[in-house]
Amino acid sequence: MNYFSSDFRLGILGGGQLGKMLLSDTRKFDIATLILDPSEEAPAQYGAFEFIQGDLMDFDTVYQFGKKTDLLTIEIENVNLDALEKLEEEGHKVYPSPKTLRLIQHKGKQKDFYNQNQIPTAPYQRFESIDELKKQAAGTGFTFPFIWKAAQFGYDGNGVKVVRSLSDLDALPNTPCIAEEMIPFKNELAVIVARSASGEIRTYPVVEMEFHPEANQVEYVICPARIEKNVADKARSIALKVSEKFNHVGLLAVEMFQTKDDEILVNEVAPRPHNSGHYSIEASYTSQFEQHIRAILDLPLGNTDSKVAGIMVNLVGAEGYSGQVHYENMEHILKIDGVTPHIYGKRETRPFRKMGHVTIVNPDMNEARKIAQQVKETIQVISK
Amino acid sequence: MNYFSSDFRLGILGGGQLGKMLLSDTRKFDIATLILDPSEEAPAQYGAFEFIQGDLMDFDTVYQFGKKTDLLTIEIENVNLDALEKLEEEGHKVYPSPKTLRLIQHKGKQKDFYNQNQIPTAPYQRFESIDELKKQAAGTGFTFPFIWKAAQFGYDGNGVKVVRSLSDLDALPNTPCIAEEMIPFKNELAVIVARSASGEIRTYPVVEMEFHPEANQVEYVICPARIEKNVADKARSIALKVSEKFNHVGLLAVEMFQTKDDEILVNEVAPRPHNSGHYSIEASYTSQFEQHIRAILDLPLGNTDSKVAGIMVNLVGAEGYSGQVHYENMEHILKIDGVTPHIYGKRETRPFRKMGHVTIVNPDMNEARKIAQQVKETIQVISK
């Protein structure tokens, strides 16, 4: 084990904000890190030992990039898995493994996997095309509304839709998909699990996504979740089981629903640092980014406890603004104790584009929650 | 005020570990930052918007570098001040100002300044040469031992020596210097003061340097210092006064002695992030590096309180080892909760070279202190 100021080369597929935040910790440990990303404006282009521009879905590009590194990880799931499989066959270390990624990349297979492993999840049906789904939805025994999910390539709410009537299906792409029963839930929760190559495993506390009462949009990620201890324990133990069954290495963010009856249903997973863990940079003893690096390098895992309560607010582009970004009222939120903005480094804002996030930490959760609202109501991502 | 993902360019003179840690926060805020450093192996070469190799003492190099930036700061005091003065005359923003730097660069002038401003400091005499000092020391009224300090260009204990007899002076360079009375002290303390361009000012808690009982070498920087509240209050208020009198912008690390009679004497200052503030990355609401950036950009200052107790241990090259660095037993210290190593990225170790540091955080100071000792006794910076 000699990763620090050495000839060891870590490769990361993807150079978005997650890659950028991973680099903050590879720099801290002085682990030489190479980044592959298609965009010349990738947030992670600074801080890398080498930044290479290239297509993450192209076999040769990913394969050749992999050959330049001693260990490969990802910050985005949509990468060329055939290349990763070939690298793995050739004895290259790839975490998470392409096998895990293939399962997770496909929502139909992911749901089947939960059923096969007795992991509670919402009832669903798989379809090879929207036409097949339409045929069945037109028949009897199909309840509206339901959730349509594209089997592949969805991100940030893309590829997910509430279907209220047959005609809603007309707007959807004719690709493999699933139809999922709509579960009325009390809370949307998430647990990040870290698992190292040698099997050491730790879970972060349960976080809660608080939604806007009308807009049905996540406004705050809150750690710890304001739920009863037995529900939190159940969520953590289910997340642990998911992690063990996937046999993954690195981080696994497990998104879950807490039903009206306090059942926990697994919604979906992400095998990498996750938006629901951003609070950890300021609030936790070990940030999710440092933890991911520890896990894939088979270093001992760090303490997942929090020092203080943490709340995360996403900074997304305001509606009606496109172009060179301007962070309006930044000086007002910086005045408040315990407020840390993270600016991802995207020059152009667009409505709803993820441009950054703000973490609020405080010893007192109620105080943190008040400040989070103040932050949300103050800062605006606009163009000038 | 538009620093974030904008055309604004921050320049930092020096690309050592302090520059590297500053970059961690300029990346977080996406502030485009240029680094000037003479070494092609500078730790801060990664993460900069642009890294320029060049001599920090050369007028033209510093001047031209400054012209490429909108605001200039430093991570090392020994830079060409004439260039900074010319830039300032031309309306360029330079923080800390060359005037403050000129005072601080010269230990004789710095001491005079304390006297002129009724800031308590140990008695001293200034000399233009070692010969002048020798003449006087040979006469009556001079008490041994005393502390010799070179007036300029000292760093990390270089340029400071305990003089026990006349013959000790023979080994010293014939440069301007001061002779300072040796004060028996209970504790060596430090307070970091942040002051923004518009005059907002905040002090960090008092930290304590714990020395090895025999080797007389700082082993631990401990925050908060384990001293009585009235002593801590006095230290903070003296640090505030020093900051106001220097009228500096940015950080000012004020190193002090707590005498046997609980008097506070100012030893010296550094107008930049400082070794005594490294603990703040993990322990404080606002790290000293983020705070320095806030101060020089005239952003509101962040909360200087700690979330948890913090102790910092320097990682210096072990005696008897030179060459390609190896961090022995790193995996053992990573196993302990609340332990974060920072590896600066210097490939070659040498005896006593500062290669990194380790921060230990814990809600309980006694626990943190025990772990710090364990860390210190475990990790070794050697070559292989």
Side-chain angles (χ1 to χ4, degrees), chain A residues 5 7 20 27-28 30 43 46 49 282 285 294 300 307 324 331 334 343 345 347, chain B residues 5 7 20 27-28 30 43 46 49 282 294 300 307 324 331 334 343 345 347 363:
Chain A
S5 300
D7 293 326
K20 183 193 172 199
R27 290 300 301 130
K28 182 171 76 183
D30 195 43
Y46 302 105
F49 181 80
E282 285 80 17
Y285 282 96
R294 286 177 179 237
K307 299 168 192 166
Q324 164 81 46
E331 66 278 21
L334 283 171
I343 305 300
R347 301 272 297 192
Chain B
S5 300
D7 294 326
K20 182 193 172 198
R27 290 299 300 129
K28 182 170 78 184
D30 196 43
Y46 303 106
F49 181 79
E282 284 80 17
R294 286 176 179 240
K307 300 168 192 166
Q324 164 80 46
E331 67 277 23
L334 284 171
I343 305 299
R347 301 271 299 191

mmCIF file of all heavy atoms in Angstrom, chain A residues 5 7 20 27-28 30 43 46 49 282 285 294 300 307 324 331 334 343 345 347, chain B residues 5 7 20 27-28 30 43 46 49 282 294 300 307 324 331 334 343 345 347 363:
data_model
loop_
_atom_site.group_PDB
_atom_site.id
_atom_site.type_symbol
_atom_site.label_atom_id
_atom_site.label_comp_id
_atom_site.label_asym_id
_atom_site.label_seq_id
_atom_site.Cartn_x
_atom_site.Cartn_y
_atom_site.Cartn_z
ATOM 1 N N SER A 5 2.013 10.346 -2.562
ATOM 2 C CA SER A 5 3.201 10.894 -3.212
ATOM 3 C C SER A 5 4.005 9.781 -3.882
ATOM 4 O O SER A 5 5.213 9.689 -3.714
ATOM 5 C CB SER A 5 4.091 11.634 -2.207
ATOM 6 O OG SER A 5 3.392 12.698 -1.610
ATOM 7 N N ASP A 7 4.079 6.681 -7.385
ATOM 8 C CA ASP A 7 3.811 6.526 -8.815
ATOM 9 C C ASP A 7 2.445 5.907 -9.082
ATOM 10 O O ASP A 7 2.068 5.716 -10.240
ATOM 11 C CB ASP A 7 4.897 5.639 -9.455
ATOM 12 C CG ASP A 7 6.245 6.331 -9.432
ATOM 13 O OD1 ASP A 7 6.274 7.571 -9.561
ATOM 14 O OD2 ASP A 7 7.268 5.636 -9.272
ATOM 15 N N LYS A 20 -14.869 16.532 -9.205
ATOM 16 C CA LYS A 20 -14.184 17.683 -8.623
ATOM 17 C C LYS A 20 -14.036 17.526 -7.111
ATOM 18 O O LYS A 20 -12.966 17.783 -6.549
ATOM 19 C CB LYS A 20 -14.978 18.957 -8.938
ATOM 20 C CG LYS A 20 -14.330 20.213 -8.444
ATOM 21 C CD LYS A 20 -15.301 21.400 -8.503
ATOM 22 C CE LYS A 20 -14.701 22.599 -7.819
ATOM 23 N NZ LYS A 20 -15.680 23.614 -7.449
ATOM 24 N N ARG A 27 -6.118 15.238 -3.628
ATOM 25 C CA ARG A 27 -5.074 16.239 -3.418
ATOM 26 C C ARG A 27 -4.618 16.209 -1.955
ATOM 27 O O ARG A 27 -3.433 16.305 -1.659
ATOM 28 C CB ARG A 27 -5.560 17.656 -3.765
ATOM 29 C CG ARG A 27 -5.778 17.931 -5.227
ATOM 30 C CD ARG A 27 -4.516 17.764 -6.073
ATOM 31 N NE ARG A 27 -3.440 18.644 -5.650
ATOM 32 C CZ ARG A 27 -2.200 18.248 -5.403
ATOM 33 N NH1 ARG A 27 -1.856 16.984 -5.509
ATOM 34 N NH2 ARG A 27 -1.292 19.114 -5.043
ATOM 35 N N LYS A 28 -5.561 16.135 -1.042
ATOM 36 C CA LYS A 28 -5.239 16.109 0.392
ATOM 37 C C LYS A 28 -4.286 14.962 0.709
ATOM 38 O O LYS A 28 -3.363 15.118 1.512
ATOM 39 C CB LYS A 28 -6.542 15.962 1.187
ATOM 40 C CG LYS A 28 -6.380 15.977 2.676
ATOM 41 C CD LYS A 28 -7.725 16.058 3.388
ATOM 42 C CE LYS A 28 -8.448 14.736 3.381
ATOM 43 N NZ LYS A 28 -9.792 14.821 4.004
ATOM 44 N N ASP A 30 -2.429 13.545 -1.587
ATOM 45 C CA ASP A 30 -1.458 13.514 -2.691
ATOM 46 C C ASP A 30 -1.457 12.173 -3.417
ATOM 47 O O ASP A 30 -0.419 11.518 -3.555
ATOM 48 C CB ASP A 30 -0.045 13.890 -2.236
ATOM 49 C CG ASP A 30 0.841 14.218 -3.456
ATOM 50 O OD1 ASP A 30 0.354 14.916 -4.362
ATOM 51 O OD2 ASP A 30 1.991 13.750 -3.508
ATOM 52 N N PRO A 43 -15.865 20.494 -14.556
ATOM 53 C CA PRO A 43 -15.447 21.042 -13.254
ATOM 54 C C PRO A 43 -14.185 20.393 -12.686
ATOM 55 O O PRO A 43 -13.429 21.049 -11.984
ATOM 56 C CB PRO A 43 -16.661 20.757 -12.360
ATOM 57 C CG PRO A 43 -17.828 20.768 -13.284
ATOM 58 C CD PRO A 43 -17.316 20.175 -14.575
ATOM 59 N N TYR A 46 -9.425 20.922 -13.153
ATOM 60 C CA TYR A 46 -8.355 21.468 -12.302
ATOM 61 C C TYR A 46 -8.162 20.546 -11.092
ATOM 62 O O TYR A 46 -9.137 20.087 -10.518
ATOM 63 C CB TYR A 46 -8.711 22.869 -11.806
ATOM 64 C CG TYR A 46 -8.977 23.833 -12.924
ATOM 65 C CD1 TYR A 46 -10.281 24.235 -13.228
ATOM 66 C CD2 TYR A 46 -7.936 24.322 -13.708
ATOM 67 C CE1 TYR A 46 -10.533 25.108 -14.271
ATOM 68 C CE2 TYR A 46 -8.177 25.197 -14.746
ATOM 69 C CZ TYR A 46 -9.478 25.589 -15.025
ATOM 70 O OH TYR A 46 -9.725 26.451 -16.062
ATOM 71 N N PHE A 49 -4.022 15.235 -11.801
ATOM 72 C CA PHE A 49 -2.650 15.036 -12.255
ATOM 73 C C PHE A 49 -2.634 15.154 -13.773
ATOM 74 O O PHE A 49 -1.745 15.748 -14.365
ATOM 75 C CB PHE A 49 -2.181 13.652 -11.802
ATOM 76 C CG PHE A 49 -0.782 13.322 -12.170
ATOM 77 C CD1 PHE A 49 0.276 13.812 -11.428
ATOM 78 C CD2 PHE A 49 -0.520 12.501 -13.269
ATOM 79 C CE1 PHE A 49 1.585 13.507 -11.779
ATOM 80 C CE2 PHE A 49 0.775 12.192 -13.616
ATOM 81 C CZ PHE A 49 1.832 12.694 -12.876
ATOM 82 N N GLU A 282 -18.846 19.029 5.409
ATOM 83 C CA GLU A 282 -18.754 19.899 6.582
ATOM 84 C C GLU A 282 -19.226 19.230 7.877
ATOM 85 O O GLU A 282 -18.763 19.601 8.953
ATOM 86 C CB GLU A 282 -19.579 21.185 6.384
ATOM 87 C CG GLU A 282 -18.940 22.200 5.449
ATOM 88 C CD GLU A 282 -19.131 21.882 3.983
ATOM 89 O OE1 GLU A 282 -20.016 21.060 3.658
ATOM 90 O OE2 GLU A 282 -18.390 22.432 3.150
ATOM 91 N N TYR A 285 -17.275 13.323 10.288
ATOM 92 C CA TYR A 285 -15.855 13.108 10.573
ATOM 93 C C TYR A 285 -15.104 12.721 9.302
ATOM 94 O O TYR A 285 -13.953 13.111 9.117
ATOM 95 C CB TYR A 285 -15.679 12.043 11.662
ATOM 96 C CG TYR A 285 -15.955 12.599 13.028
ATOM 97 C CD1 TYR A 285 -17.198 12.461 13.627
ATOM 98 C CD2 TYR A 285 -14.982 13.320 13.699
ATOM 99 C CE1 TYR A 285 -17.461 13.011 14.870
ATOM 100 C CE2 TYR A 285 -15.232 13.870 14.944
ATOM 101 C CZ TYR A 285 -16.471 13.713 15.523
ATOM 102 O OH TYR A 285 -16.729 14.267 16.742
ATOM 103 N N ARG A 294 -10.990 5.936 0.342
ATOM 104 C CA ARG A 294 -10.522 4.927 1.298
ATOM 105 C C ARG A 294 -11.023 3.542 0.875
ATOM 106 O O ARG A 294 -10.271 2.560 0.894
ATOM 107 C CB ARG A 294 -11.028 5.243 2.710
ATOM 108 C CG ARG A 294 -10.317 6.412 3.400
ATOM 109 C CD ARG A 294 -10.979 6.645 4.749
ATOM 110 N NE ARG A 294 -10.375 7.721 5.532
ATOM 111 C CZ ARG A 294 -9.882 7.570 6.772
ATOM 112 N NH1 ARG A 294 -9.917 6.379 7.361
ATOM 113 N NH2 ARG A 294 -9.379 8.600 7.431
ATOM 114 N N PRO A 300 -8.375 1.595 5.596
ATOM 115 C CA PRO A 300 -9.411 1.507 6.631
ATOM 116 C C PRO A 300 -10.466 2.589 6.417
ATOM 117 O O PRO A 300 -10.132 3.705 6.021
ATOM 118 C CB PRO A 300 -8.625 1.758 7.927
ATOM 119 C CG PRO A 300 -7.200 1.483 7.592
ATOM 120 C CD PRO A 300 -7.034 1.822 6.143
ATOM 121 N N LYS A 307 -20.250 15.478 13.220
ATOM 122 C CA LYS A 307 -19.812 16.381 14.288
ATOM 123 C C LYS A 307 -20.982 17.258 14.728
ATOM 124 O O LYS A 307 -21.111 17.615 15.895
ATOM 125 C CB LYS A 307 -18.697 17.301 13.775
ATOM 126 C CG LYS A 307 -17.443 16.587 13.294
ATOM 127 C CD LYS A 307 -16.525 17.564 12.540
ATOM 128 C CE LYS A 307 -15.414 16.836 11.811
ATOM 129 N NZ LYS A 307 -14.721 17.663 10.825
ATOM 130 N N GLN A 324 -24.072 33.225 -18.913
ATOM 131 C CA GLN A 324 -22.995 33.372 -17.924
ATOM 132 C C GLN A 324 -23.585 33.523 -16.516
ATOM 133 O O GLN A 324 -24.350 34.426 -16.234
ATOM 134 C CB GLN A 324 -22.165 34.605 -18.300
ATOM 135 C CG GLN A 324 -21.243 35.142 -17.217
ATOM 136 C CD GLN A 324 -19.946 34.365 -17.108
ATOM 137 O OE1 GLN A 324 -19.301 34.071 -18.108
ATOM 138 N NE2 GLN A 324 -19.557 34.028 -15.894
ATOM 139 N N GLU A 331 -23.101 37.296 -0.952
ATOM 140 C CA GLU A 331 -22.522 37.951 0.232
ATOM 141 C C GLU A 331 -23.481 37.892 1.424
ATOM 142 O O GLU A 331 -23.047 37.895 2.577
ATOM 143 C CB GLU A 331 -22.089 39.387 -0.090
ATOM 144 C CG GLU A 331 -23.203 40.371 -0.420
ATOM 145 C CD GLU A 331 -23.686 40.286 -1.873
ATOM 146 O OE1 GLU A 331 -23.481 39.241 -2.534
ATOM 147 O OE2 GLU A 331 -24.291 41.267 -2.349
ATOM 148 N N LEU A 334 -23.136 34.327 2.950
ATOM 149 C CA LEU A 334 -21.818 34.136 3.575
ATOM 150 C C LEU A 334 -21.746 34.802 4.948
ATOM 151 O O LEU A 334 -20.865 34.503 5.752
ATOM 152 C CB LEU A 334 -20.713 34.688 2.673
ATOM 153 C CG LEU A 334 -20.336 33.821 1.464
ATOM 154 C CD1 LEU A 334 -19.398 34.576 0.534
ATOM 155 C CD2 LEU A 334 -19.693 32.504 1.904
ATOM 156 N N ILE A 343 -19.332 25.915 -5.252
ATOM 157 C CA ILE A 343 -19.640 26.348 -6.619
ATOM 158 C C ILE A 343 -18.927 25.390 -7.573
ATOM 159 O O ILE A 343 -17.704 25.275 -7.529
ATOM 160 C CB ILE A 343 -19.173 27.804 -6.829
ATOM 161 C CG1 ILE A 343 -19.801 28.728 -5.762
ATOM 162 C CG2 ILE A 343 -19.506 28.287 -8.238
ATOM 163 C CD1 ILE A 343 -21.308 28.772 -5.763
ATOM 164 N N GLY A 345 -18.460 25.250 -10.775
ATOM 165 C CA GLY A 345 -17.555 25.739 -11.809
ATOM 166 C C GLY A 345 -18.122 25.612 -13.209
ATOM 167 O O GLY A 345 -17.374 25.531 -14.178
ATOM 168 N N ARG A 347 -19.786 27.501 -16.119
ATOM 169 C CA ARG A 347 -19.862 28.923 -16.487
ATOM 170 C C ARG A 347 -21.287 29.339 -16.873
ATOM 171 O O ARG A 347 -21.687 30.464 -16.633
ATOM 172 C CB ARG A 347 -18.935 29.221 -17.683
ATOM 173 C CG ARG A 347 -17.476 28.907 -17.443
ATOM 174 C CD ARG A 347 -16.716 30.030 -16.828
ATOM 175 N NE ARG A 347 -16.655 31.216 -17.673
ATOM 176 C CZ ARG A 347 -15.849 32.239 -17.435
ATOM 177 N NH1 ARG A 347 -15.033 32.209 -16.402
ATOM 178 N NH2 ARG A 347 -15.849 33.296 -18.205
ATOM 179 N N SER B 5 -16.937 31.583 -10.497
ATOM 180 C CA SER B 5 -17.082 31.175 -11.908
ATOM 181 C C SER B 5 -17.086 32.413 -12.800
ATOM 182 O O SER B 5 -17.927 32.537 -13.683
ATOM 183 C CB SER B 5 -18.380 30.370 -12.128
ATOM 184 O OG SER B 5 -18.380 29.211 -11.347
ATOM 185 N N ASP B 7 -14.519 35.925 -14.512
ATOM 186 C CA ASP B 7 -13.219 36.240 -15.116
ATOM 187 C C ASP B 7 -12.232 36.791 -14.088
ATOM 188 O O ASP B 7 -11.092 37.108 -14.438
ATOM 189 C CB ASP B 7 -13.397 37.255 -16.249
ATOM 190 C CG ASP B 7 -14.186 36.644 -17.406
ATOM 191 O OD1 ASP B 7 -14.014 35.427 -17.634
ATOM 192 O OD2 ASP B 7 -14.958 37.373 -18.044
ATOM 193 N N LYS B 20 -1.219 25.220 -1.589
ATOM 194 C CA LYS B 20 -2.008 24.036 -1.949
ATOM 195 C C LYS B 20 -3.326 24.004 -1.170
ATOM 196 O O LYS B 20 -4.393 23.746 -1.739
ATOM 197 C CB LYS B 20 -1.195 22.772 -1.642
ATOM 198 C CG LYS B 20 -1.902 21.490 -2.025
ATOM 199 C CD LYS B 20 -1.209 20.270 -1.432
ATOM 200 C CE LYS B 20 -2.061 19.041 -1.664
ATOM 201 N NZ LYS B 20 -1.708 17.923 -0.789
ATOM 202 N N ARG B 27 -10.956 26.330 -5.196
ATOM 203 C CA ARG B 27 -11.690 25.386 -6.055
ATOM 204 C C ARG B 27 -13.133 25.268 -5.556
ATOM 205 O O ARG B 27 -14.057 25.227 -6.357
ATOM 206 C CB ARG B 27 -11.037 23.987 -6.033
ATOM 207 C CG ARG B 27 -9.712 23.860 -6.716
ATOM 208 C CD ARG B 27 -9.774 24.190 -8.195
ATOM 209 N NE ARG B 27 -10.680 23.331 -8.915
ATOM 210 C CZ ARG B 27 -11.632 23.790 -9.728
ATOM 211 N NH1 ARG B 27 -11.816 25.077 -9.927
ATOM 212 N NH2 ARG B 27 -12.400 22.954 -10.365
ATOM 213 N N LYS B 28 -13.301 25.188 -4.245
ATOM 214 C CA LYS B 28 -14.648 25.049 -3.675
ATOM 215 C C LYS B 28 -15.546 26.203 -4.117
ATOM 216 O O LYS B 28 -16.717 26.013 -4.403
ATOM 217 C CB LYS B 28 -14.526 25.016 -2.144
ATOM 218 C CG LYS B 28 -15.830 24.821 -1.403
ATOM 219 C CD LYS B 28 -15.588 24.557 0.076
ATOM 220 C CE LYS B 28 -15.261 25.831 0.837
ATOM 221 N NZ LYS B 28 -14.928 25.572 2.247
ATOM 222 N N ASP B 30 -14.883 28.019 -6.762
ATOM 223 C CA ASP B 30 -14.576 28.238 -8.182
ATOM 224 C C ASP B 30 -14.068 29.660 -8.446
ATOM 225 O O ASP B 30 -14.617 30.389 -9.276
ATOM 226 C CB ASP B 30 -15.756 27.910 -9.104
ATOM 227 C CG ASP B 30 -15.282 27.777 -10.558
ATOM 228 O OD1 ASP B 30 -14.227 27.157 -10.777
ATOM 229 O OD2 ASP B 30 -15.938 28.320 -11.471
ATOM 230 N N PRO B 43 3.923 21.905 -4.397
ATOM 231 C CA PRO B 43 2.669 21.225 -4.041
ATOM 232 C C PRO B 43 1.423 21.880 -4.646
ATOM 233 O O PRO B 43 0.453 21.192 -4.924
ATOM 234 C CB PRO B 43 2.646 21.321 -2.507
ATOM 235 C CG PRO B 43 4.089 21.336 -2.115
ATOM 236 C CD PRO B 43 4.784 22.112 -3.207
ATOM 237 N N TYR B 46 -0.989 21.687 -8.810
ATOM 238 C CA TYR B 46 -2.265 21.115 -9.237
ATOM 239 C C TYR B 46 -3.408 21.885 -8.579
ATOM 240 O O TYR B 46 -3.326 22.211 -7.409
ATOM 241 C CB TYR B 46 -2.363 19.640 -8.838
ATOM 242 C CG TYR B 46 -1.235 18.804 -9.394
ATOM 243 C CD1 TYR B 46 -0.207 18.361 -8.571
ATOM 244 C CD2 TYR B 46 -1.199 18.498 -10.747
ATOM 245 C CE1 TYR B 46 0.831 17.598 -9.096
ATOM 246 C CE2 TYR B 46 -0.155 17.750 -11.272
ATOM 247 C CZ TYR B 46 0.852 17.303 -10.435
ATOM 248 O OH TYR B 46 1.886 16.569 -10.952
ATOM 249 N N PHE B 49 -5.639 27.499 -11.635
ATOM 250 C CA PHE B 49 -6.092 27.833 -12.981
ATOM 251 C C PHE B 49 -4.868 27.906 -13.886
ATOM 252 O O PHE B 49 -4.870 27.476 -15.026
ATOM 253 C CB PHE B 49 -6.819 29.178 -12.922
ATOM 254 C CG PHE B 49 -7.356 29.644 -14.227
ATOM 255 C CD1 PHE B 49 -8.538 29.122 -14.721
ATOM 256 C CD2 PHE B 49 -6.689 30.614 -14.961
ATOM 257 C CE1 PHE B 49 -9.044 29.552 -15.935
ATOM 258 C CE2 PHE B 49 -7.187 31.052 -16.172
ATOM 259 C CZ PHE B 49 -8.369 30.522 -16.668
ATOM 260 N N GLU B 282 -10.437 20.657 9.798
ATOM 261 C CA GLU B 282 -11.380 19.654 10.297
ATOM 262 C C GLU B 282 -12.176 20.119 11.511
ATOM 263 O O GLU B 282 -13.296 19.660 11.720
ATOM 264 C CB GLU B 282 -10.633 18.357 10.684
ATOM 265 C CG GLU B 282 -10.197 17.504 9.503
ATOM 266 C CD GLU B 282 -8.928 17.994 8.842
ATOM 267 O OE1 GLU B 282 -8.201 18.796 9.467
ATOM 268 O OE2 GLU B 282 -8.660 17.600 7.697
ATOM 269 N N ARG B 294 -11.849 34.736 2.188
ATOM 270 C CA ARG B 294 -12.956 35.657 2.492
ATOM 271 C C ARG B 294 -12.407 37.050 2.820
ATOM 272 O O ARG B 294 -12.936 38.063 2.348
ATOM 273 C CB ARG B 294 -13.774 35.142 3.681
ATOM 274 C CG ARG B 294 -14.683 33.943 3.380
ATOM 275 C CD ARG B 294 -15.361 33.490 4.662
ATOM 276 N NE ARG B 294 -16.271 32.378 4.524
ATOM 277 C CZ ARG B 294 -17.583 32.418 4.834
ATOM 278 N NH1 ARG B 294 -18.122 33.534 5.298
ATOM 279 N NH2 ARG B 294 -18.338 31.359 4.709
ATOM 280 N N PRO B 300 -17.901 38.559 3.690
ATOM 281 C CA PRO B 300 -18.130 38.468 5.137
ATOM 282 C C PRO B 300 -17.259 37.344 5.724
ATOM 283 O O PRO B 300 -17.069 36.315 5.077
ATOM 284 C CB PRO B 300 -19.608 38.091 5.235
ATOM 285 C CG PRO B 300 -20.209 38.488 3.926
ATOM 286 C CD PRO B 300 -19.128 38.350 2.908
ATOM 287 N N LYS B 307 -16.090 23.096 15.940
ATOM 288 C CA LYS B 307 -17.156 22.105 16.095
ATOM 289 C C LYS B 307 -16.762 21.105 17.173
ATOM 290 O O LYS B 307 -17.594 20.603 17.918
ATOM 291 C CB LYS B 307 -17.359 21.337 14.782
ATOM 292 C CG LYS B 307 -17.757 22.188 13.581
ATOM 293 C CD LYS B 307 -17.646 21.363 12.284
ATOM 294 C CE LYS B 307 -17.737 22.249 11.061
ATOM 295 N NZ LYS B 307 -17.321 21.578 9.819
ATOM 296 N N GLN B 324 13.111 9.305 -1.931
ATOM 297 C CA GLN B 324 11.685 9.096 -2.236
ATOM 298 C C GLN B 324 10.918 8.740 -0.960
ATOM 299 O O GLN B 324 11.199 7.754 -0.299
ATOM 300 C CB GLN B 324 11.581 7.975 -3.277
ATOM 301 C CG GLN B 324 10.203 7.347 -3.454
ATOM 302 C CD GLN B 324 9.276 8.176 -4.313
ATOM 303 O OE1 GLN B 324 9.672 8.649 -5.376
ATOM 304 N NE2 GLN B 324 8.054 8.391 -3.853
ATOM 305 N N GLU B 331 -1.636 3.101 7.240
ATOM 306 C CA GLU B 331 -2.884 2.332 7.379
ATOM 307 C C GLU B 331 -3.282 2.181 8.847
ATOM 308 O O GLU B 331 -4.464 2.077 9.164
ATOM 309 C CB GLU B 331 -2.787 0.975 6.665
ATOM 310 C CG GLU B 331 -1.803 -0.024 7.268
ATOM 311 C CD GLU B 331 -0.359 0.192 6.811
ATOM 312 O OE1 GLU B 331 -0.004 1.312 6.404
ATOM 313 O OE2 GLU B 331 0.439 -0.772 6.888
ATOM 314 N N LEU B 334 -4.948 5.546 9.900
ATOM 315 C CA LEU B 334 -6.246 5.741 9.230
ATOM 316 C C LEU B 334 -7.345 4.910 9.893
ATOM 317 O O LEU B 334 -8.534 5.165 9.699
ATOM 318 C CB LEU B 334 -6.146 5.381 7.745
ATOM 319 C CG LEU B 334 -5.445 6.410 6.859
ATOM 320 C CD1 LEU B 334 -5.202 5.840 5.462
ATOM 321 C CD2 LEU B 334 -6.252 7.704 6.756
ATOM 322 N N ILE B 343 -1.131 15.136 3.126
ATOM 323 C CA ILE B 343 0.168 14.857 2.528
ATOM 324 C C ILE B 343 0.447 15.971 1.520
ATOM 325 O O ILE B 343 -0.308 16.153 0.569
ATOM 326 C CB ILE B 343 0.152 13.471 1.849
ATOM 327 C CG1 ILE B 343 -0.273 12.394 2.856
ATOM 328 C CG2 ILE B 343 1.499 13.157 1.219
ATOM 329 C CD1 ILE B 343 0.631 12.252 4.050
ATOM 330 N N GLY B 345 2.748 16.535 -0.718
ATOM 331 C CA GLY B 345 3.078 16.229 -2.106
ATOM 332 C C GLY B 345 4.528 16.494 -2.449
ATOM 333 O O GLY B 345 4.851 16.759 -3.600
ATOM 334 N N ARG B 347 7.970 14.880 -3.052
ATOM 335 C CA ARG B 347 8.395 13.511 -3.376
ATOM 336 C C ARG B 347 9.571 13.061 -2.516
ATOM 337 O O ARG B 347 9.689 11.901 -2.178
ATOM 338 C CB ARG B 347 8.810 13.418 -4.854
ATOM 339 C CG ARG B 347 7.721 13.796 -5.838
ATOM 340 C CD ARG B 347 6.857 12.645 -6.245
ATOM 341 N NE ARG B 347 7.585 11.572 -6.910
ATOM 342 C CZ ARG B 347 7.000 10.569 -7.538
ATOM 343 N NH1 ARG B 347 5.683 10.499 -7.580
ATOM 344 N NH2 ARG B 347 7.703 9.623 -8.114
ATOM 345 N N PRO B 363 -14.858 14.961 20.084
ATOM 346 C CA PRO B 363 -15.644 15.828 20.972
ATOM 347 C C PRO B 363 -14.941 16.024 22.318
ATOM 348 O O PRO B 363 -15.150 17.026 22.992
ATOM 349 C CB PRO B 363 -16.961 15.064 21.160
ATOM 350 C CG PRO B 363 -16.981 13.982 20.131
ATOM 351 C CD PRO B 363 -15.563 13.718 19.729
#
